[in-house]
C-alpha cells in the first residue's frame, strides 16, 4: 500500500462520524425549516462548506446558509437571520461582514449564516453570498476519487503548517485546496506543480502563468473571475508549501501529514543558543485583549511590526522575531545587541536649508562634538536617550504603530538580559530558535 | 576701514612681488622666444592663468603657453614642446592630457605648456587648449575693482577651505571664482547669492536656475557652453561654501580669511572622546606611493570608500571616517563597535529557486541553528569569520575596491583598541574629531 493510501485510510471520515454528522445535519435542517416557517417568509437553506462537499478532515464544522431574496432589506436579513439562529442554536452571535449565529448540535460546531441569493457570484452584496456558488462549483467538479485527493492535500497542508486562510495561519483555504485538486487532478500533481512555483504565479482553472502576479499566488475564482482565492496566503507560507512539496517528492514520509509534537526548548538550551550566537534576546509581554482570533491576530502582527520599527528607528538591530499568543501575548526579538553606546549619530537637515542654521546653532552647544557634514547633510553626535530596548519600549512603546486594541499597551512588561529566560517565554523562544520544519521535528 | 578693505590691504600683491614677477615673466618670455626661434617654427606664446589676469593671491605660479598651429601633429607638438621646456627651464616633465615642463624662474614656480591654437574653445583638442580662451575672457571682463574682488573671494575660499579644483580639495577653481565675481559684481554679492543656493543650482553668465543640475553647482563656461566649470566641486565643499557665506554675512570676521592654525588633538583627548561617545576607532595605514597629488588623492579617496564598503559588507557599522596623507596614508574610521558577535545572520537565496535546496542542505548541517525563511528568503545563523576589523582588513583588504597604486596594500597596518592612540594618527584623528569650521578654530 502506498504511503498516500495509508494516510487516506487514517484520515477518511469514519462511519461513526458520518452517521453522527448526518443526524446532526438532519436535525439542523429540520429545526431551521420550522423556524423559517414560523417567520412566514419563503426562505431556502443550503448546506455549504466541507460537510456539503464531503471534503472535511477530522471533526468538521457544519455550515448552513439561509438564503434571502434580494428584496429583503439588509437590516431585516440580519434581524430575521439572528432570530432563526437564536431559535435553532440558542448560540452566540458572531460578526463577519454581517452577523451570524454560532452554536453546537450533536457535538459539532455549527454556523448558521444568513446571506442573499444572488443570480451569480459577481453580483454578491457581501462575501458570504459567494459561498453557495463555491459549494455548487466544487460539488459539480469533484468526483469521489478527487474528493479523497482533497483530503490528502488538506492533511499534507495541515501537517506542514500552511492550512487555513485565517489571519493566524495566512495559509491555503479549504476552497483553494479543492480548486488545486480540480485543476491538477490529484495531490501528487499539485505538489509536483508547486515544486516549480515562484512567488507571483498566476492561474485559473484553464490557464497558468509563471510570473506577473502581485500576490505570492493568484488563483482567479472560477465563480468570480475578479477575485483571487489565494489573497490571504502570505509569502512565507507560500514558500513553505513549495519547499515542503519539493522535500516530500524527494523523500516521502508520513511526518509531512502527521508531524511529531514539537517540544518546548529548555531554558538552558535557549540561553546557550543566544550565548553561542552572541545575539541578545528581548521579550515584550502584553495582556491579551478579549477578541476572536481573526480580529486578534492581525492586530498582534501589526503591533509586532510596529515594535520592530520602533526598535530599529532607535538603532537596535532586529535580526529575527516571533510572537506567541496564549494567556498573554509574548513577542521575542533576537537583537544584535541590547546595549547601545551612550551616543548616537544624529542626522540633521540638508546643509543648504533654512533649518540648517538652527540645527547647527543648537548642537554646537549641546552635541558630543561639533556638527559636521556628510554628503551634504548635517550630522552630530548626541547623547543617546535609550541605551537598552526595555527603557525604550516602556517610554516610547505607545508611539509605535500598534493594533487598535493593543494601543494602550495593557500589561506591558519588557525583559532582557537574564530576566528573559522565564518559563512563560519558552513557547515564543521555541518558535524563534527551533526552526526545524514540522516534518523534521 | 571695512573688514574687506583691511583684508584687501593684506592680500594685494606687494610692490616687491610685482617687480620680481615682472622680471621673471620677462626672462621666461625672452628665453622661450629664443628657443622657439631655434626650432625654426613660427610659434606664439601666451601668458595665462592668475599672473596674466592679475588675480593671484600670495606667491603665484607662472603659466606660459606655447601655441602650435593645428597642422602640427600631436606627437611633434609634444616633442617640440618638451624640447623648448627643457631649454628654457631645464625642469621636470609633468603629465596632464599631454606632457609639459615644470620648473622655476626667479623663485616662482613655472609651467611651460604646449597647446593648440584653435579657432574657438568648442574646437579644443585637449583640455589645456581652452585655457587661453579663459584668460582672454577674464581679461576682457574684469576691471581693476573687480580684480580686487576676485582676490577677496579667493582669500575667503582659501580661508574656509574650499579653494582649489584639485582632487585634494574638490573645491572652486580660480577661473570659477573669477566668473562668480564677473557674474555677481563683487565678493559680498557672491556670498549673498550663495547663501540661498541649494545643491543643483545651474547658471551661466546671463541666467540662473535654482534647481535641476546634476552637479551641486553647474556654471556653464562662457567660452564653451557645454562645459560645467564647476564639475570638480564636491557636494560637501559646495555646502561648506554656502554655510560659510551665511555665517560670514551674519557676523563678519577676519578669521574666515585667515583662520588660526588648527592644533592637533592630544591623544588623551582623542581617547576620551571615543570613550564618551562609546564608539570605537579603527585605523588603517598604507605606504604612500610616489605619485603627484592629482593622481594620488583620487586613489586614496577610492580606497577609503572601498575599505568602508568592505567593513560594512562585514557588518561593521561605519559612522564616520577621515584620511590624512603625510609620510604614509592614514585612514581612521569611527565604528559603532570593533567587536562583532561570534555569529552572523547569513542571507541565502529566495526560497523557491534552484539554489535553495543546496543552501538548506548545506547549512542544515553546519549552521548555528536551522535555516529559516524571512520574507521568502532563506536565512541561517553561521559562524562569523571576522569579528574585528583588523583581522578582516588584513585577510580581505585586497578584495576591496582600491586605487590602482594601492591595490597591493603595501605597508598595511591596522590598529584598533588602545593601539590606535599613536602620535602618528593624531592628524587623521584631529580631522575626524575636531569638526569646528576653520573660522571657529
Amino acid at each position: 500500500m502506498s504511503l498516500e493510501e495509508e494516510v487516506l485510510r487514517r484520515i477518511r471520515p469514519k462511519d461513526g462520524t458520518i452517521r453522527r454528522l448526518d443526524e446532526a445535519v438532519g436535525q439542523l435542517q429540520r429545526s431551521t425549516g420550522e423556524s423559517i416557517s414560523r417567520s412566514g417568509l419563503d426562505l431556502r437553506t443550503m448546506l455549504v462548506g466541507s460537510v456539503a462537499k464531503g471534503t472535511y478532515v477530522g471533526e468538521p464544522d457544519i455550515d448552513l446558509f439561509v438564503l434571502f431574496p434580494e428584496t429583503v432589506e439588509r437590516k431585516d436579513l440580519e434581524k430575521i437571520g439572528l432570530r432563526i439562529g437564536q431559535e435553532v442554536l440558542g448560540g452566540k452571535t458572531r460578526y463577519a461582514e454581517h452577523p451570524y449565529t454560532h452554536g453546537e448540535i450533536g457535538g459539532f460546531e455549527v454556523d448558521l449564516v444568513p446571506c442573499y441569493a444572488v443570480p451569480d457570484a459577481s453580483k454578491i452584496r457581501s462575501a458570504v453570498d459567494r459561498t453557495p456558488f463555491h459549494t455548487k462549483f466544487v460539488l459539480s467538479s469533484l468526483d469521489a476519487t478527487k474528493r479523497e485527493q482533497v483530503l490528502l492535500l488538506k492533511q499534507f497542508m495541515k501537517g506542514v503548517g500552511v492550512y487555513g486562510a485565517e489571519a493566524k495561519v495566512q495559509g491555503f483555504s479549504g476552497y483553494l485546496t479543492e480548486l488545486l485538486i480540480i485543476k491538477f487532478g490529484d495531490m501528487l500533481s499539485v505538489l509536483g506543480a508547486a515544486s516549480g512555483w515562484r512567488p507571483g504565479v498566476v492561474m485559473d482553472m484553464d490557464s497558468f502563468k509563471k510570473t506577473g502576479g502581485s500576490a505570492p499566488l493568484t488563483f482567479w475564482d472560477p465563480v468570480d473571475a475578479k477575485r483571487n482565492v489565494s489573497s490571504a496566503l502570505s509569502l512565507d507560507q507560500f514558500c513553505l508549501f513549495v519547499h515542503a512539496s519539493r522535500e516530500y517528492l524527494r523523500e516521502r514520509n508520513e511526518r509531512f501529514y502527521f508531524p511529531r509534537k514539537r517540544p518546548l526548548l529548555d531554558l538552558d538550551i535557549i540561553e546557550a543558543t543566544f550565548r553561542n550566537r552572541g545575539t541578545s534576546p528581548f521579550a515584550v509581554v502584553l495582556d491579551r485583549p478579549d477578541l476572536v482570533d481573526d480580529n486578534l491576530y492581525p492586530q498582534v502582527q501589526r503591533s509586532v511590526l510596529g515594535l520592530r520599527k520602533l526598535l530599529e528607528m532607535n538603532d537596535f538591530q532586529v535580526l529575527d522575531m516571533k510572537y506567541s499568543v496564549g494567556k498573554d501575548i509574548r513577542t521575542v526579538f533576537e537583537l544584535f545587541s541590547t546595549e547601545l553606546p551612550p551616543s548616537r549619530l544624529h542626522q540633521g537637515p540638508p546643509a543648504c536649508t533654512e533649518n540648517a542654521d538652527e540645527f547647527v546653532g543648537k548642537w554646537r552647544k549641546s552635541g558630543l562634538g561639533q556638527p559636521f557634514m556628510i554628503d551634504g547633510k548635517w550630522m552630530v553626535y548626541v547623547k543617546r536617550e535609550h541605551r537598552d530596548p526595555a527603557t525604550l519600549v516602556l517610554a516610547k512603546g505607545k508611539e509605535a504603530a500598534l493594533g487598535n486594541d493593543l494601543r494602550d499597551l495593557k500589561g506591558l512588561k519588557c525583559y532582557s538580559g537574564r530576566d528573559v529566560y522565564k518559563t512563560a517565554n519558552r513557547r515564543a523562544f521555541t518558535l524563534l530558535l527551533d526552526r526545524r520544519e514540522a516534518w523534521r521535528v
Side-chain angles (χ1 to χ4, degrees), chain A:
Chain A
M1 200 190 294
S2 78
L3 171 60
E4 289 79 17
E5 282 165 355
E6 276 178 49
V7 171
L8 258 180
R9 213 168 50 165
R10 280 178 68 174
I11 63 175
R12 216 176 262 133
K14 303 283 166 294
D15 287 347
T17 308
I18 297 175
R19 203 163 39 238
R20 283 199 301 120
L21 190 57
D22 281 349
E23 280 168 23
V25 168
Q27 187 191 327
L28 173 64
Q29 284 174 319
R30 271 192 309 279
S31 315
T32 308
E34 289 162 16
S35 176
I36 288 172
S37 301
R38 280 192 294 277
S39 77
L41 285 165
D42 182 23
L43 302 176
R44 284 188 302 122
T45 63
M46 181 175 177
L47 187 66
V48 299
S50 64
V51 171
K53 295 179 279 191
T55 56
Y56 56 89
V57 171
E59 281 275 301
D61 294 351
I62 302 171
D63 297 302
L64 188 69
F65 275 40
V66 181
L67 285 79
F68 286 72
E70 290 192 79
T71 48
V72 176
E73 294 225 22
R74 181 161 174 147
K75 66 174 197 308
D76 293 327
L77 172 144
E78 292 185 2
K79 201 176 62 184
I80 300 163
L82 286 181
R83 194 199 303 142
I84 295 171
Q86 199 56 39
E87 290 184 14
V88 174
L89 295 170
K92 267 178 106 169
T93 302
R94 286 194 175 169
Y95 296 86
E97 256 180 87
H98 46 232
Y100 63 96
T101 309
H102 180 83
E104 215 192 283
I105 285 188
F108 295 96
E109 301 215 29
V110 176
D111 285 331
L112 193 56
V113 180
C115 76
Y116 280 111
V118 292
D120 74 78
S122 67
K123 303 283 196 312
I124 57 162
R125 297 171 63 171
S126 154
V128 290
D129 302 344
R130 207 185 275 117
T131 305
F133 293 93
H134 288 167
T135 302
K136 277 180 228 156
F137 179 82
V138 171
L139 278 172
S140 70
S141 309
L142 281 183
D143 57 20
T145 318
K146 282 189 174 163
R147 213 151 44 224
E148 298 214 314
Q149 293 297 312
V150 171
L151 302 190
L152 261 185
L153 182 56
K154 281 190 179 178
Q155 187 64 39
F156 180 87
M157 288 177 165
K158 280 189 181 189
V160 305
V162 300
Y163 184 70
E166 62 268 28
K168 182 176 173 176
V169 180
Q170 298 182 288
F172 293 74
S173 67
Y175 179 52
L176 178 55
T177 313
E178 290 150 3
L179 292 182
L180 289 170
I181 291 295
I182 296 168
K183 179 173 177 69
F184 292 100
D186 57 34
M187 181 261 195
L188 287 176
S189 302
V190 173
L191 303 200
S195 297
W197 292 348
R198 296 198 182 182
V201 286
V202 180
M203 61 194 87
D204 60 18
M205 295 309 299
D206 308 312
S207 69
F208 179 88
K209 278 196 308 178
K210 284 171 78 170
T211 55
S214 56
L217 167 62
T218 303
F219 200 125
W220 298 118
D221 194 340
V223 309
D224 184 356
K226 282 183 206 141
R227 175 181 173 258
N228 176 16
V229 179
S230 174
S231 60
L233 180 64
S234 75
L235 175 61
D236 281 350
Q237 290 292 63
F238 170 85
C239 290
L240 178 56
F241 177 62
V242 171
H243 172 60
S245 299
R246 295 163 77 127
E247 294 237 318
Y248 180 78
L249 293 180
R250 202 154 41 224
E251 197 176 336
R252 302 188 196 180
N253 186 316
E254 66 159 26
R255 282 159 68 195
F256 284 85
Y257 302 93
F258 307 109
R260 296 189 198 136
K261 193 170 156 54
R262 188 186 299 267
L264 293 185
L265 293 178
D266 287 339
L267 287 175
D268 52 356
I269 300 242
I270 293 167
E271 192 169 352
T273 304
F274 287 114
R275 195 172 49 237
N276 288 340
R277 292 184 184 170
T279 54
S280 303
F282 171 57
V284 177
V285 181
L286 290 173
D287 282 355
R288 175 183 182 154
D290 184 23
L291 298 169
V292 295
D293 281 1
D294 270 354
N295 198 343
L296 176 63
Y297 275 86
Q299 294 200 36
V300 172
Q301 286 152 4
R302 174 150 198 247
S303 305
V304 171
L305 290 177
L307 288 173
R308 178 199 186 115
K309 179 110 184 161
L310 176 71
L311 289 166
E312 289 178 338
M313 295 283 288
N314 286 275
D315 295 346
F316 293 97
Q317 206 180 322
V318 178
L319 298 168
D320 198 9
M321 59 187 184
K322 284 286 171 187
Y323 64 85
S324 157
V325 177
K327 269 179 289 183
D328 42 26
I329 302 164
R330 292 188 176 253
T331 307
V332 290
F333 294 91
E334 184 162 11
L335 300 179
F336 195 80
S337 168
T338 43
E339 204 189 309
L340 295 182
S343 73
R344 66 184 176 87
L345 191 52
H346 174 45
Q347 190 186 298
C352 302
T353 55
E354 294 305 320
N355 316 335
D357 295 344
E358 196 188 326
F359 179 89
V360 173
K362 171 180 176 188
W363 292 111
R364 191 172 273 144
K365 277 170 251 147
S366 53
L368 297 173
Q370 292 294 300
F372 57 98
M373 259 177 242
I374 293 185
D375 296 338
K377 291 205 181 67
W378 283 105
M379 311 287 280
V380 66
Y381 283 95
V382 301
K383 193 170 169 335
R384 182 184 294 281
E385 212 179 343
H386 301 292
R387 296 185 59 188
D388 70 281
T391 329
L392 170 69
V393 170
L394 291 169
K396 296 275 185 80
K398 287 191 180 171
E399 295 171 21
L402 301 168
N404 280 335
D405 295 289
L406 297 168
R407 202 157 283 160
D408 56 358
L409 294 177
K410 204 153 158 269
L412 174 64
K413 285 188 281 293
C414 296
Y415 301 99
S416 61
R418 290 202 41 82
D419 291 345
V420 91
Y421 302 111
K422 289 183 141 17
T423 303
N425 293 335
R426 278 176 72 199
R427 212 180 103 72
F429 276 132
T430 301
L431 291 173
L432 186 79
L433 300 180
D434 180 1
R435 298 308 266 266
R436 290 173 299 173
E437 299 94 329
W439 58 94
R440 289 179 180 273
V441 168

